[in-house]
Amino acid sequence: MSLNHQQKVYIPKAARTNQYIAAEIKVTDALLAHYPDLKTCYQTVSRSIFNLADQEELSNIHVITNDKLPVVRFHTEAYCFQTAEQIILFYNPAYHEAQNLITDDNYRARKIRIVFLATGDEIRSNSASFHAKVQSFLTKLMPQLPENELTVKIRDHQHLSYDFFAKAKGNKESYGFKLRAIGPRYKARNCPLPEEHSSLSYVTVKLPLGRRLKQSILPEHTNDFTPLYQKLEDAFLHATSAKQLKQVAMVANGLTPLVRNSKYDQVDGTDEVQMIGFDPNQEEQQFVRHWDGSQLVETVSFTIVAGKKDYKDAGFGRFMNQVEDALKKFTSELELDRSHEDLIVRFHQHISYQNS
């Protein structure tokens, strides 16, 4: 196999790309001192944001002032759901536009979070220009705020998602991706990033626990699901170890997994979110598990993190080919029905940095 071929991963042509950028502004006493109350602060700041967004042609933007975590996913219809800790945004970047203030007038937020959703076609190809547009927006926004000591933390999230079993369902067309890292990709498109920025790339896999899978492993009428989880854990570790994928996780406790760079971010869990921390610069094997044999969940989440050796100018194609080979081995051992079951694979690329 040629080196160029190894550096590409062939993903179903129907794969979906997504990008959103979160800008976080700390809510300080100095900022609040300029307004009579919290409600006026949130409404005035959001009005400035939406007016500027119109001028800068940013057409899908959400302002969150209740400290809930935004989760963005593709859907043919636009929805915004709230849980106690999360804001779940569904949208189709080709069609949907929004200006939305999500707030609790009596709650003092730790930060005002502005979420910019990428719109249009060719999301991945245009990701650098979208990031540059958000940078320009923030440069113009900050002088409009009454407090000049504020700083902004920027988090850029990019996803590429597809059904691992797409070919078995008749979707045989694929496209070769090199999956270059965000830093070199942006630099080549005249959107340089600060020298001090955090980056993390990883894959998540969602495995539904269907009736057939459970019946093949568990005895009838049992309340102990340990054999099921242990079988999945053993098969997953065996498959990933064979491809030298060293930083992996399995979550089956009903919580939403959230992957962070442990060198820069806190990794405490909450009632809804299971934080998983990895340092991609470490070379040692790291396996994070969160499951409870007394609790049966609907879906098990697996995570595979790209290590330092995977961050190459050529991209993450080789890493993703290793992931795909591991998943083939993993799913073959479980004897899943590829023509009737979905196995959603999502390749994540994140960067974050402080913008003064």
Side-chain angles (χ1 to χ4, degrees), residues 35-65:
Y35 304 98
D37 51 48
L38 287 169
K39 180 178 180 180
T40 304
C41 173
Y42 298 154
Q43 290 183 340
T44 304
V45 171
S46 63
R47 193 155 48 243
S48 297
I49 291 169
F50 295 144
N51 288 340
L52 183 58
D54 287 337
Q55 298 171 28
E56 298 296 303
E57 298 183 340
L58 290 163
S59 58
N60 201 322
I61 186 167
H62 302 258
V63 179
I64 301 173
T65 65

Tab-separated table of all heavy atoms in Angstrom, residues 35-65:
chain	number	residue	atom	x	y	z
A	35	TYR	N	-25.006	47.595	34.911
A	35	TYR	CA	-26.420	47.320	34.628
A	35	TYR	C	-27.215	47.299	35.930
A	35	TYR	O	-26.686	46.923	36.983
A	35	TYR	CB	-26.569	45.976	33.908
A	35	TYR	CG	-25.757	45.881	32.639
A	35	TYR	CD1	-24.502	45.248	32.628
A	35	TYR	CD2	-26.222	46.425	31.439
A	35	TYR	CE1	-23.755	45.165	31.472
A	35	TYR	CE2	-25.476	46.337	30.272
A	35	TYR	CZ	-24.245	45.708	30.292
A	35	TYR	OH	-23.493	45.632	29.146
A	36	PRO	N	-28.502	47.641	35.868
A	36	PRO	CA	-29.315	47.653	37.094
A	36	PRO	C	-29.605	46.262	37.643
A	36	PRO	O	-29.818	46.098	38.849
A	36	PRO	CB	-30.602	48.362	36.661
A	36	PRO	CG	-30.662	48.190	35.179
A	36	PRO	CD	-29.246	48.184	34.712
A	37	ASP	N	-29.640	45.252	36.766
A	37	ASP	CA	-29.920	43.892	37.229
A	37	ASP	C	-29.421	42.890	36.189
A	37	ASP	O	-28.992	43.258	35.089
A	37	ASP	CB	-31.420	43.690	37.500
A	37	ASP	CG	-32.283	44.134	36.323
A	37	ASP	OD1	-31.968	43.748	35.177
A	37	ASP	OD2	-33.261	44.872	36.544
A	38	LEU	N	-29.501	41.602	36.549
A	38	LEU	CA	-29.018	40.538	35.671
A	38	LEU	C	-29.781	40.500	34.349
A	38	LEU	O	-29.187	40.355	33.272
A	38	LEU	CB	-29.142	39.181	36.376
A	38	LEU	CG	-28.152	38.886	37.495
A	38	LEU	CD1	-28.585	37.635	38.251
A	38	LEU	CD2	-26.756	38.699	36.941
A	39	LYS	N	-31.098	40.617	34.423
A	39	LYS	CA	-31.912	40.537	33.220
A	39	LYS	C	-31.510	41.604	32.210
A	39	LYS	O	-31.367	41.329	31.017
A	39	LYS	CB	-33.391	40.682	33.588
A	39	LYS	CG	-34.342	40.603	32.396
A	39	LYS	CD	-35.788	40.696	32.833
A	39	LYS	CE	-36.733	40.608	31.644
A	39	LYS	NZ	-38.162	40.693	32.074
A	40	THR	N	-31.327	42.822	32.690
A	40	THR	CA	-30.934	43.913	31.786
A	40	THR	C	-29.564	43.643	31.178
A	40	THR	O	-29.326	43.902	29.988
A	40	THR	CB	-30.918	45.248	32.544
A	40	THR	OG1	-32.191	45.467	33.136
A	40	THR	CG2	-30.589	46.396	31.609
A	41	CYS	N	-28.652	43.111	31.992
A	41	CYS	CA	-27.314	42.779	31.492
A	41	CYS	C	-27.399	41.773	30.353
A	41	CYS	O	-26.850	41.998	29.266
A	41	CYS	CB	-26.456	42.239	32.628
A	41	CYS	SG	-24.840	41.616	32.092
A	42	TYR	N	-28.093	40.658	30.594
A	42	TYR	CA	-28.168	39.610	29.584
A	42	TYR	C	-28.850	40.109	28.303
A	42	TYR	O	-28.394	39.815	27.190
A	42	TYR	CB	-28.932	38.405	30.132
A	42	TYR	CG	-28.296	37.750	31.336
A	42	TYR	CD1	-29.074	37.039	32.256
A	42	TYR	CD2	-26.923	37.824	31.564
A	42	TYR	CE1	-28.506	36.422	33.356
A	42	TYR	CE2	-26.343	37.218	32.665
A	42	TYR	CZ	-27.142	36.522	33.559
A	42	TYR	OH	-26.572	35.915	34.646
A	43	GLN	N	-29.935	40.836	28.469
A	43	GLN	CA	-30.667	41.299	27.297
A	43	GLN	C	-29.874	42.332	26.498
A	43	GLN	O	-29.862	42.310	25.261
A	43	GLN	CB	-32.027	41.863	27.716
A	43	GLN	CG	-33.002	40.800	28.211
A	43	GLN	CD	-34.357	41.367	28.558
A	43	GLN	OE1	-34.502	42.573	28.794
A	43	GLN	NE2	-35.365	40.505	28.612
A	44	THR	N	-29.193	43.237	27.201
A	44	THR	CA	-28.425	44.272	26.510
A	44	THR	C	-27.227	43.673	25.777
A	44	THR	O	-26.962	44.003	24.612
A	44	THR	CB	-27.931	45.335	27.513
A	44	THR	OG1	-29.051	45.869	28.228
A	44	THR	CG2	-27.212	46.461	26.797
A	45	VAL	N	-26.510	42.783	26.451
A	45	VAL	CA	-25.346	42.150	25.827
A	45	VAL	C	-25.774	41.301	24.633
A	45	VAL	O	-25.158	41.349	23.562
A	45	VAL	CB	-24.569	41.303	26.852
A	45	VAL	CG1	-23.487	40.469	26.155
A	45	VAL	CG2	-23.935	42.190	27.914
A	46	SER	N	-26.845	40.528	24.792
A	46	SER	CA	-27.294	39.679	23.681
A	46	SER	C	-27.762	40.512	22.497
A	46	SER	O	-27.552	40.139	21.334
A	46	SER	CB	-28.409	38.737	24.139
A	46	SER	OG	-29.560	39.454	24.545
A	47	ARG	N	-28.384	41.651	22.778
A	47	ARG	CA	-28.825	42.530	21.686
A	47	ARG	C	-27.617	43.042	20.895
A	47	ARG	O	-27.642	43.095	19.662
A	47	ARG	CB	-29.645	43.685	22.254
A	47	ARG	CG	-30.407	44.472	21.200
A	47	ARG	CD	-31.630	45.172	21.800
A	47	ARG	NE	-31.312	45.900	23.020
A	47	ARG	CZ	-31.829	45.611	24.206
A	47	ARG	NH1	-32.687	44.616	24.334
A	47	ARG	NH2	-31.506	46.321	25.277
A	48	SER	N	-26.552	43.406	21.597
A	48	SER	CA	-25.323	43.833	20.916
A	48	SER	C	-24.752	42.697	20.064
A	48	SER	O	-24.285	42.910	18.934
A	48	SER	CB	-24.276	44.287	21.930
A	48	SER	OG	-24.722	45.414	22.662
A	49	ILE	N	-24.798	41.490	20.615
A	49	ILE	CA	-24.274	40.320	19.895
A	49	ILE	C	-25.071	40.051	18.630
A	49	ILE	O	-24.513	39.863	17.537
A	49	ILE	CB	-24.282	39.089	20.825
A	49	ILE	CG1	-23.243	39.270	21.937
A	49	ILE	CG2	-24.025	37.809	20.041
A	49	ILE	CD1	-23.340	38.245	23.049
A	50	PHE	N	-26.395	40.067	18.740
A	50	PHE	CA	-27.230	39.751	17.579
A	50	PHE	C	-27.143	40.841	16.507
A	50	PHE	O	-27.129	40.541	15.311
A	50	PHE	CB	-28.677	39.548	18.007
A	50	PHE	CG	-28.879	38.346	18.901
A	50	PHE	CD1	-29.809	38.381	19.943
A	50	PHE	CD2	-28.144	37.191	18.719
A	50	PHE	CE1	-29.996	37.282	20.768
A	50	PHE	CE2	-28.319	36.086	19.534
A	50	PHE	CZ	-29.250	36.135	20.558
A	51	ASN	N	-27.062	42.100	16.926
A	51	ASN	CA	-26.937	43.193	15.942
A	51	ASN	C	-25.621	43.079	15.170
A	51	ASN	O	-25.590	43.249	13.947
A	51	ASN	CB	-27.012	44.548	16.646
A	51	ASN	CG	-28.411	44.871	17.144
A	51	ASN	OD1	-29.400	44.296	16.662
A	51	ASN	ND2	-28.518	45.767	18.095
A	52	LEU	N	-24.553	42.785	15.894
A	52	LEU	CA	-23.264	42.647	15.230
A	52	LEU	C	-23.239	41.399	14.346
A	52	LEU	O	-22.635	41.406	13.261
A	52	LEU	CB	-22.141	42.583	16.271
A	52	LEU	CG	-20.709	42.510	15.723
A	52	LEU	CD1	-20.399	43.716	14.835
A	52	LEU	CD2	-19.702	42.424	16.875
A	53	ALA	N	-23.889	40.334	14.789
A	53	ALA	CA	-23.943	39.105	13.984
A	53	ALA	C	-24.613	39.367	12.639
A	53	ALA	O	-24.189	38.823	11.608
A	53	ALA	CB	-24.688	38.011	14.747
A	54	ASP	N	-25.666	40.186	12.630
A	54	ASP	CA	-26.312	40.555	11.370
A	54	ASP	C	-25.324	41.260	10.443
A	54	ASP	O	-25.270	40.977	9.241
A	54	ASP	CB	-27.516	41.455	11.629
A	54	ASP	CG	-28.703	40.698	12.211
A	54	ASP	OD1	-28.763	39.470	12.017
A	54	ASP	OD2	-29.544	41.334	12.876
A	55	GLN	N	-24.542	42.160	11.006
A	55	GLN	CA	-23.570	42.905	10.201
A	55	GLN	C	-22.455	42.002	9.676
A	55	GLN	O	-21.973	42.187	8.558
A	55	GLN	CB	-22.958	44.033	11.037
A	55	GLN	CG	-23.953	45.076	11.533
A	55	GLN	CD	-23.314	46.036	12.516
A	55	GLN	OE1	-22.111	46.292	12.474
A	55	GLN	NE2	-24.122	46.588	13.430
A	56	GLU	N	-22.067	41.014	10.475
A	56	GLU	CA	-20.948	40.144	10.108
A	56	GLU	C	-21.394	38.881	9.374
A	56	GLU	O	-20.578	38.008	9.080
A	56	GLU	CB	-20.163	39.748	11.369
A	56	GLU	CG	-19.539	40.923	12.104
A	56	GLU	CD	-18.489	41.618	11.260
A	56	GLU	OE1	-17.522	40.964	10.828
A	56	GLU	OE2	-18.657	42.840	11.008
A	57	GLU	N	-22.695	38.778	9.094
A	57	GLU	CA	-23.260	37.651	8.345
A	57	GLU	C	-22.996	36.309	9.038
A	57	GLU	O	-22.635	35.311	8.412
A	57	GLU	CB	-22.720	37.635	6.914
A	57	GLU	CG	-23.109	38.886	6.116
A	57	GLU	CD	-22.624	38.837	4.683
A	57	GLU	OE1	-21.684	38.051	4.401
A	57	GLU	OE2	-23.166	39.571	3.842
A	58	LEU	N	-23.180	36.320	10.353
A	58	LEU	CA	-23.187	35.091	11.139
A	58	LEU	C	-24.645	34.788	11.464
A	58	LEU	O	-25.272	35.485	12.251
A	58	LEU	CB	-22.357	35.268	12.410
A	58	LEU	CG	-20.850	35.367	12.178
A	58	LEU	CD1	-20.138	35.944	13.398
A	58	LEU	CD2	-20.264	33.997	11.833
A	59	SER	N	-25.171	33.732	10.844
A	59	SER	CA	-26.630	33.586	10.800
A	59	SER	C	-27.212	32.583	11.787
A	59	SER	O	-28.436	32.463	11.874
A	59	SER	CB	-27.068	33.199	9.380
A	59	SER	OG	-26.434	32.002	8.978
A	60	ASN	N	-26.360	31.846	12.523
A	60	ASN	CA	-26.911	30.910	13.508
A	60	ASN	C	-26.091	31.048	14.788
A	60	ASN	O	-24.966	30.561	14.889
A	60	ASN	CB	-26.853	29.472	12.996
A	60	ASN	CG	-27.840	28.575	13.723
A	60	ASN	OD1	-28.046	28.708	14.918
A	60	ASN	ND2	-28.461	27.661	12.988
A	61	ILE	N	-26.671	31.746	15.750
A	61	ILE	CA	-25.919	32.113	16.948
A	61	ILE	C	-26.824	32.027	18.176
A	61	ILE	O	-27.992	32.418	18.137
A	61	ILE	CB	-25.325	33.537	16.778
A	61	ILE	CG1	-24.411	33.920	17.931
A	61	ILE	CG2	-26.397	34.568	16.570
A	61	ILE	CD1	-23.593	35.167	17.631
A	62	HIS	N	-26.279	31.457	19.252
A	62	HIS	CA	-27.031	31.263	20.494
A	62	HIS	C	-26.223	31.856	21.648
A	62	HIS	O	-25.018	31.598	21.762
A	62	HIS	CB	-27.289	29.782	20.753
A	62	HIS	CG	-28.041	29.101	19.648
A	62	HIS	ND1	-29.382	28.808	19.724
A	62	HIS	CD2	-27.641	28.682	18.424
A	62	HIS	CE1	-29.769	28.222	18.611
A	62	HIS	NE2	-28.725	28.137	17.799
A	63	VAL	N	-26.888	32.629	22.486
A	63	VAL	CA	-26.252	33.202	23.673
A	63	VAL	C	-26.802	32.465	24.888
A	63	VAL	O	-28.018	32.433	25.107
A	63	VAL	CB	-26.529	34.719	23.785
A	63	VAL	CG1	-25.886	35.284	25.050
A	63	VAL	CG2	-26.007	35.449	22.543
A	64	ILE	N	-25.916	31.880	25.679
A	64	ILE	CA	-26.310	31.056	26.826
A	64	ILE	C	-25.820	31.734	28.100
A	64	ILE	O	-24.614	31.963	28.264
A	64	ILE	CB	-25.733	29.639	26.712
A	64	ILE	CG1	-26.215	28.970	25.417
A	64	ILE	CG2	-26.113	28.796	27.924
A	64	ILE	CD1	-25.548	27.631	25.141
A	65	THR	N	-26.744	32.054	29.002
A	65	THR	CA	-26.369	32.724	30.255
A	65	THR	C	-26.855	31.945	31.477
A	65	THR	O	-27.169	32.528	32.505
A	65	THR	CB	-26.930	34.162	30.297
A	65	THR	OG1	-28.365	34.110	30.315
A	65	THR	CG2	-26.466	34.976	29.109
